[in-house]
Amino acid sequence: MRIAAAPISWGVCEVPGWGHQMAAERVLAEMAELGLTATELGPDGFLPPDPADRASLLGRYGMRAVGGFVPVVLHDPGHDPMPGLRATLASFDADMVVVLAAATGVDGYDARPELGTGGWRTLLANLERIRRETSHLVTLHPHVGTMVESRDEVNRVLDGCDIALCLDTGHLLIGGTDPVDIVRDRPGRVAHVHLKDVDAELAGRVREGALTYTEAVRAGIYRPLGKGDVDVARIVGGLDRAGYRGWYVMEQDLILDAEPSAGDGPIEDVRAGVAFLGSAA
């Protein structure tokens, strides 16, 4: 089982005004303290953009980069996503996974427009074009507050193109898709995994519109692995039986108001997740 970390578990996020942003050096040191040797990149500016500089920094902590989250507008027929995507991927190592999100075009994940037939046609065509024209492994990440969030939208992508899927267990559940169903019915489409655990009651309030996504994160919608309502053990077991050999990236999104004291803060929830996966493996 290949386990990686993610800066968002330390509150490091691309959304402006998300919260206190911890320095890369402390985050990487705490990842290494937990025995982790791999991470996703985090938002622009968290790690050095130059591949050699980034590898040097990661190497000081015994870490490597395995993928990166890339929000891209895919639904606008007047926008060509390829030039911007190519520029971003120029700094990706050849074996890094591209975790693509169908961005709305505005910051944050608290609101999104309705997508009509033409927008869907453009989005699916762009996903196929990216899949064909990109040398990296590209996965589509269903994500709250993007153009692919709900169960119907996830199915529309799976039925309408051949892009691989980033199985984000938390965002899927919040959006109304049980990730267990995808593991059971379409395991071959899963090429990358974000492991999250979720409070189902808060997830329901997000779906109902009673809470924004940001409010739900602040309220603790993401729980340490094994402490929420996602059947993480069943998902991992199902993927293993299906032959999945990709990365499991632990993600517990949170918002920090201030720098945690030494030896405290996000590291403790990640430590609990590492222990849970060790017992479930």
Side-chain angles (χ1 to χ4, degrees), residues 165-188:
L165 195 70
C166 171
L167 187 87
D168 187 296
T169 59
H171 281 281
L172 285 166
L173 190 67
I174 298 169
T177 302
D178 188 339
V180 171
D181 292 344
I182 292 179
V183 172
R184 182 191 64 229
D185 299 335
R186 312 222 195 187

PDB file of all heavy atoms in Angstrom, residues 165-188:
ATOM      1  N   LEU A 165     -10.108   8.325 -12.957  1.00  0.00           N
ATOM      2  CA  LEU A 165     -10.736   9.001 -11.833  1.00  0.00           C
ATOM      3  C   LEU A 165      -9.786   9.077 -10.646  1.00  0.00           C
ATOM      4  O   LEU A 165      -9.094   8.113 -10.328  1.00  0.00           O
ATOM      5  CB  LEU A 165     -11.993   8.237 -11.418  1.00  0.00           C
ATOM      6  CG  LEU A 165     -12.987   8.953 -10.503  1.00  0.00           C
ATOM      7  CD1 LEU A 165     -13.692  10.072 -11.267  1.00  0.00           C
ATOM      8  CD2 LEU A 165     -14.011   7.958  -9.959  1.00  0.00           C
ATOM      9  N   CYS A 166      -9.774  10.237 -10.004  1.00  0.00           N
ATOM     10  CA  CYS A 166      -9.216  10.341  -8.658  1.00  0.00           C
ATOM     11  C   CYS A 166     -10.372  10.085  -7.701  1.00  0.00           C
ATOM     12  O   CYS A 166     -11.310  10.888  -7.630  1.00  0.00           O
ATOM     13  CB  CYS A 166      -8.605  11.718  -8.406  1.00  0.00           C
ATOM     14  SG  CYS A 166      -8.126  11.970  -6.670  1.00  0.00           S
ATOM     15  N   LEU A 167     -10.323   8.982  -7.000  1.00  0.00           N
ATOM     16  CA  LEU A 167     -11.378   8.608  -6.064  1.00  0.00           C
ATOM     17  C   LEU A 167     -11.138   9.361  -4.758  1.00  0.00           C
ATOM     18  O   LEU A 167     -10.384   8.901  -3.899  1.00  0.00           O
ATOM     19  CB  LEU A 167     -11.371   7.104  -5.821  1.00  0.00           C
ATOM     20  CG  LEU A 167     -12.533   6.570  -4.985  1.00  0.00           C
ATOM     21  CD1 LEU A 167     -13.727   6.270  -5.896  1.00  0.00           C
ATOM     22  CD2 LEU A 167     -12.131   5.329  -4.205  1.00  0.00           C
ATOM     23  N   ASP A 168     -11.775  10.519  -4.635  1.00  0.00           N
ATOM     24  CA  ASP A 168     -11.697  11.262  -3.382  1.00  0.00           C
ATOM     25  C   ASP A 168     -12.883  10.854  -2.526  1.00  0.00           C
ATOM     26  O   ASP A 168     -14.032  11.230  -2.796  1.00  0.00           O
ATOM     27  CB  ASP A 168     -11.703  12.771  -3.640  1.00  0.00           C
ATOM     28  CG  ASP A 168     -11.451  13.564  -2.372  1.00  0.00           C
ATOM     29  OD1 ASP A 168     -12.291  13.479  -1.451  1.00  0.00           O
ATOM     30  OD2 ASP A 168     -10.428  14.268  -2.292  1.00  0.00           O
ATOM     31  N   THR A 169     -12.627  10.064  -1.507  1.00  0.00           N
ATOM     32  CA  THR A 169     -13.704   9.448  -0.748  1.00  0.00           C
ATOM     33  C   THR A 169     -14.562  10.473  -0.019  1.00  0.00           C
ATOM     34  O   THR A 169     -15.753  10.254   0.185  1.00  0.00           O
ATOM     35  CB  THR A 169     -13.138   8.430   0.262  1.00  0.00           C
ATOM     36  OG1 THR A 169     -12.236   9.098   1.157  1.00  0.00           O
ATOM     37  CG2 THR A 169     -12.400   7.313  -0.471  1.00  0.00           C
ATOM     38  N   GLY A 170     -13.974  11.606   0.341  1.00  0.00           N
ATOM     39  CA  GLY A 170     -14.721  12.636   1.042  1.00  0.00           C
ATOM     40  C   GLY A 170     -15.584  13.477   0.138  1.00  0.00           C
ATOM     41  O   GLY A 170     -16.784  13.654   0.370  1.00  0.00           O
ATOM     42  N   HIS A 171     -14.984  14.016  -0.922  1.00  0.00           N
ATOM     43  CA  HIS A 171     -15.747  14.861  -1.841  1.00  0.00           C
ATOM     44  C   HIS A 171     -16.860  14.069  -2.520  1.00  0.00           C
ATOM     45  O   HIS A 171     -17.951  14.606  -2.757  1.00  0.00           O
ATOM     46  CB  HIS A 171     -14.822  15.496  -2.875  1.00  0.00           C
ATOM     47  CG  HIS A 171     -14.076  16.677  -2.354  1.00  0.00           C
ATOM     48  ND1 HIS A 171     -14.652  17.920  -2.248  1.00  0.00           N
ATOM     49  CD2 HIS A 171     -12.821  16.799  -1.892  1.00  0.00           C
ATOM     50  CE1 HIS A 171     -13.771  18.773  -1.748  1.00  0.00           C
ATOM     51  NE2 HIS A 171     -12.648  18.111  -1.522  1.00  0.00           N
ATOM     52  N   LEU A 172     -16.602  12.808  -2.837  1.00  0.00           N
ATOM     53  CA  LEU A 172     -17.660  11.992  -3.428  1.00  0.00           C
ATOM     54  C   LEU A 172     -18.834  11.859  -2.475  1.00  0.00           C
ATOM     55  O   LEU A 172     -19.988  12.064  -2.867  1.00  0.00           O
ATOM     56  CB  LEU A 172     -17.110  10.620  -3.816  1.00  0.00           C
ATOM     57  CG  LEU A 172     -16.246  10.580  -5.074  1.00  0.00           C
ATOM     58  CD1 LEU A 172     -15.497   9.261  -5.162  1.00  0.00           C
ATOM     59  CD2 LEU A 172     -17.082  10.795  -6.325  1.00  0.00           C
ATOM     60  N   LEU A 173     -18.557  11.532  -1.220  1.00  0.00           N
ATOM     61  CA  LEU A 173     -19.649  11.335  -0.272  1.00  0.00           C
ATOM     62  C   LEU A 173     -20.420  12.630  -0.033  1.00  0.00           C
ATOM     63  O   LEU A 173     -21.651  12.642   0.006  1.00  0.00           O
ATOM     64  CB  LEU A 173     -19.113  10.795   1.050  1.00  0.00           C
ATOM     65  CG  LEU A 173     -20.189  10.329   2.032  1.00  0.00           C
ATOM     66  CD1 LEU A 173     -20.902   9.100   1.508  1.00  0.00           C
ATOM     67  CD2 LEU A 173     -19.586  10.030   3.404  1.00  0.00           C
ATOM     68  N   ILE A 174     -19.709  13.738   0.086  1.00  0.00           N
ATOM     69  CA  ILE A 174     -20.385  15.019   0.283  1.00  0.00           C
ATOM     70  C   ILE A 174     -21.270  15.338  -0.918  1.00  0.00           C
ATOM     71  O   ILE A 174     -22.387  15.848  -0.776  1.00  0.00           O
ATOM     72  CB  ILE A 174     -19.366  16.144   0.527  1.00  0.00           C
ATOM     73  CG1 ILE A 174     -18.570  15.873   1.808  1.00  0.00           C
ATOM     74  CG2 ILE A 174     -20.076  17.503   0.649  1.00  0.00           C
ATOM     75  CD1 ILE A 174     -17.362  16.781   1.979  1.00  0.00           C
ATOM     76  N   GLY A 175     -20.793  15.015  -2.112  1.00  0.00           N
ATOM     77  CA  GLY A 175     -21.560  15.285  -3.323  1.00  0.00           C
ATOM     78  C   GLY A 175     -22.695  14.316  -3.582  1.00  0.00           C
ATOM     79  O   GLY A 175     -23.475  14.519  -4.513  1.00  0.00           O
ATOM     80  N   GLY A 176     -22.796  13.249  -2.799  1.00  0.00           N
ATOM     81  CA  GLY A 176     -23.910  12.320  -2.940  1.00  0.00           C
ATOM     82  C   GLY A 176     -23.567  10.991  -3.575  1.00  0.00           C
ATOM     83  O   GLY A 176     -24.465  10.201  -3.883  1.00  0.00           O
ATOM     84  N   THR A 177     -22.271  10.716  -3.773  1.00  0.00           N
ATOM     85  CA  THR A 177     -21.837   9.437  -4.334  1.00  0.00           C
ATOM     86  C   THR A 177     -21.162   8.618  -3.255  1.00  0.00           C
ATOM     87  O   THR A 177     -20.219   9.100  -2.617  1.00  0.00           O
ATOM     88  CB  THR A 177     -20.836   9.651  -5.491  1.00  0.00           C
ATOM     89  OG1 THR A 177     -21.426  10.452  -6.505  1.00  0.00           O
ATOM     90  CG2 THR A 177     -20.406   8.325  -6.094  1.00  0.00           C
ATOM     91  N   ASP A 178     -21.615   7.404  -3.047  1.00  0.00           N
ATOM     92  CA  ASP A 178     -20.910   6.519  -2.120  1.00  0.00           C
ATOM     93  C   ASP A 178     -19.686   5.964  -2.842  1.00  0.00           C
ATOM     94  O   ASP A 178     -19.819   5.253  -3.858  1.00  0.00           O
ATOM     95  CB  ASP A 178     -21.824   5.371  -1.688  1.00  0.00           C
ATOM     96  CG  ASP A 178     -21.210   4.536  -0.563  1.00  0.00           C
ATOM     97  OD1 ASP A 178     -19.979   4.572  -0.392  1.00  0.00           O
ATOM     98  OD2 ASP A 178     -21.978   3.850   0.132  1.00  0.00           O
ATOM     99  N   PRO A 179     -18.471   6.284  -2.367  1.00  0.00           N
ATOM    100  CA  PRO A 179     -17.279   5.787  -3.071  1.00  0.00           C
ATOM    101  C   PRO A 179     -17.206   4.272  -3.119  1.00  0.00           C
ATOM    102  O   PRO A 179     -16.573   3.709  -4.022  1.00  0.00           O
ATOM    103  CB  PRO A 179     -16.120   6.390  -2.269  1.00  0.00           C
ATOM    104  CG  PRO A 179     -16.707   6.802  -0.962  1.00  0.00           C
ATOM    105  CD  PRO A 179     -18.122   7.132  -1.218  1.00  0.00           C
ATOM    106  N   VAL A 180     -17.862   3.595  -2.172  1.00  0.00           N
ATOM    107  CA  VAL A 180     -17.901   2.131  -2.213  1.00  0.00           C
ATOM    108  C   VAL A 180     -18.543   1.648  -3.510  1.00  0.00           C
ATOM    109  O   VAL A 180     -18.131   0.641  -4.094  1.00  0.00           O
ATOM    110  CB  VAL A 180     -18.659   1.575  -0.984  1.00  0.00           C
ATOM    111  CG1 VAL A 180     -18.904   0.076  -1.135  1.00  0.00           C
ATOM    112  CG2 VAL A 180     -17.887   1.867   0.293  1.00  0.00           C
ATOM    113  N   ASP A 181     -19.558   2.377  -3.996  1.00  0.00           N
ATOM    114  CA  ASP A 181     -20.231   1.980  -5.234  1.00  0.00           C
ATOM    115  C   ASP A 181     -19.282   2.032  -6.425  1.00  0.00           C
ATOM    116  O   ASP A 181     -19.316   1.157  -7.301  1.00  0.00           O
ATOM    117  CB  ASP A 181     -21.430   2.893  -5.500  1.00  0.00           C
ATOM    118  CG  ASP A 181     -22.552   2.711  -4.483  1.00  0.00           C
ATOM    119  OD1 ASP A 181     -22.543   1.697  -3.761  1.00  0.00           O
ATOM    120  OD2 ASP A 181     -23.428   3.594  -4.408  1.00  0.00           O
ATOM    121  N   ILE A 182     -18.443   3.065  -6.478  1.00  0.00           N
ATOM    122  CA  ILE A 182     -17.494   3.165  -7.590  1.00  0.00           C
ATOM    123  C   ILE A 182     -16.464   2.049  -7.510  1.00  0.00           C
ATOM    124  O   ILE A 182     -16.105   1.433  -8.529  1.00  0.00           O
ATOM    125  CB  ILE A 182     -16.824   4.548  -7.596  1.00  0.00           C
ATOM    126  CG1 ILE A 182     -17.852   5.621  -7.952  1.00  0.00           C
ATOM    127  CG2 ILE A 182     -15.658   4.583  -8.585  1.00  0.00           C
ATOM    128  CD1 ILE A 182     -17.319   7.021  -7.967  1.00  0.00           C
ATOM    129  N   VAL A 183     -15.974   1.771  -6.316  1.00  0.00           N
ATOM    130  CA  VAL A 183     -15.007   0.687  -6.146  1.00  0.00           C
ATOM    131  C   VAL A 183     -15.619  -0.647  -6.576  1.00  0.00           C
ATOM    132  O   VAL A 183     -14.961  -1.475  -7.200  1.00  0.00           O
ATOM    133  CB  VAL A 183     -14.527   0.628  -4.686  1.00  0.00           C
ATOM    134  CG1 VAL A 183     -13.670  -0.613  -4.442  1.00  0.00           C
ATOM    135  CG2 VAL A 183     -13.734   1.885  -4.342  1.00  0.00           C
ATOM    136  N   ARG A 184     -16.893  -0.849  -6.271  1.00  0.00           N
ATOM    137  CA  ARG A 184     -17.569  -2.100  -6.643  1.00  0.00           C
ATOM    138  C   ARG A 184     -17.862  -2.166  -8.140  1.00  0.00           C
ATOM    139  O   ARG A 184     -17.633  -3.199  -8.783  1.00  0.00           O
ATOM    140  CB  ARG A 184     -18.880  -2.221  -5.864  1.00  0.00           C
ATOM    141  CG  ARG A 184     -19.655  -3.511  -6.148  1.00  0.00           C
ATOM    142  CD  ARG A 184     -21.044  -3.452  -5.565  1.00  0.00           C
ATOM    143  NE  ARG A 184     -21.835  -2.391  -6.195  1.00  0.00           N
ATOM    144  CZ  ARG A 184     -22.530  -1.489  -5.506  1.00  0.00           C
ATOM    145  NH1 ARG A 184     -22.540  -1.486  -4.188  1.00  0.00           N
ATOM    146  NH2 ARG A 184     -23.217  -0.549  -6.156  1.00  0.00           N
ATOM    147  N   ASP A 185     -18.363  -1.051  -8.709  1.00  0.00           N
ATOM    148  CA  ASP A 185     -18.888  -1.092 -10.072  1.00  0.00           C
ATOM    149  C   ASP A 185     -17.878  -0.674 -11.139  1.00  0.00           C
ATOM    150  O   ASP A 185     -17.969  -1.142 -12.276  1.00  0.00           O
ATOM    151  CB  ASP A 185     -20.114  -0.177 -10.178  1.00  0.00           C
ATOM    152  CG  ASP A 185     -21.246  -0.599  -9.262  1.00  0.00           C
ATOM    153  OD1 ASP A 185     -21.307  -1.800  -8.914  1.00  0.00           O
ATOM    154  OD2 ASP A 185     -22.057   0.266  -8.875  1.00  0.00           O
ATOM    155  N   ARG A 186     -16.934   0.215 -10.795  1.00  0.00           N
ATOM    156  CA  ARG A 186     -16.013   0.737 -11.813  1.00  0.00           C
ATOM    157  C   ARG A 186     -14.583   0.825 -11.277  1.00  0.00           C
ATOM    158  O   ARG A 186     -13.926   1.865 -11.427  1.00  0.00           O
ATOM    159  CB  ARG A 186     -16.467   2.117 -12.267  1.00  0.00           C
ATOM    160  CG  ARG A 186     -17.958   2.205 -12.620  1.00  0.00           C
ATOM    161  CD  ARG A 186     -18.155   3.017 -13.846  1.00  0.00           C
ATOM    162  NE  ARG A 186     -19.546   3.408 -14.017  1.00  0.00           N
ATOM    163  CZ  ARG A 186     -20.021   4.017 -15.083  1.00  0.00           C
ATOM    164  NH1 ARG A 186     -19.214   4.316 -16.073  1.00  0.00           N
ATOM    165  NH2 ARG A 186     -21.293   4.333 -15.177  1.00  0.00           N
ATOM    166  N   PRO A 187     -14.072  -0.201 -10.688  1.00  0.00           N
ATOM    167  CA  PRO A 187     -12.731  -0.104 -10.103  1.00  0.00           C
ATOM    168  C   PRO A 187     -11.647   0.188 -11.123  1.00  0.00           C
ATOM    169  O   PRO A 187     -10.624   0.801 -10.793  1.00  0.00           O
ATOM    170  CB  PRO A 187     -12.535  -1.482  -9.449  1.00  0.00           C
ATOM    171  CG  PRO A 187     -13.430  -2.401 -10.219  1.00  0.00           C
ATOM    172  CD  PRO A 187     -14.632  -1.561 -10.563  1.00  0.00           C
ATOM    173  N   GLY A 188     -11.865  -0.235 -12.358  1.00  0.00           N
ATOM    174  CA  GLY A 188     -10.854  -0.005 -13.379  1.00  0.00           C
ATOM    175  C   GLY A 188     -10.663   1.451 -13.756  1.00  0.00           C
ATOM    176  O   GLY A 188      -9.660   1.798 -14.380  1.00  0.00           O
TER     177      GLY A 188
END
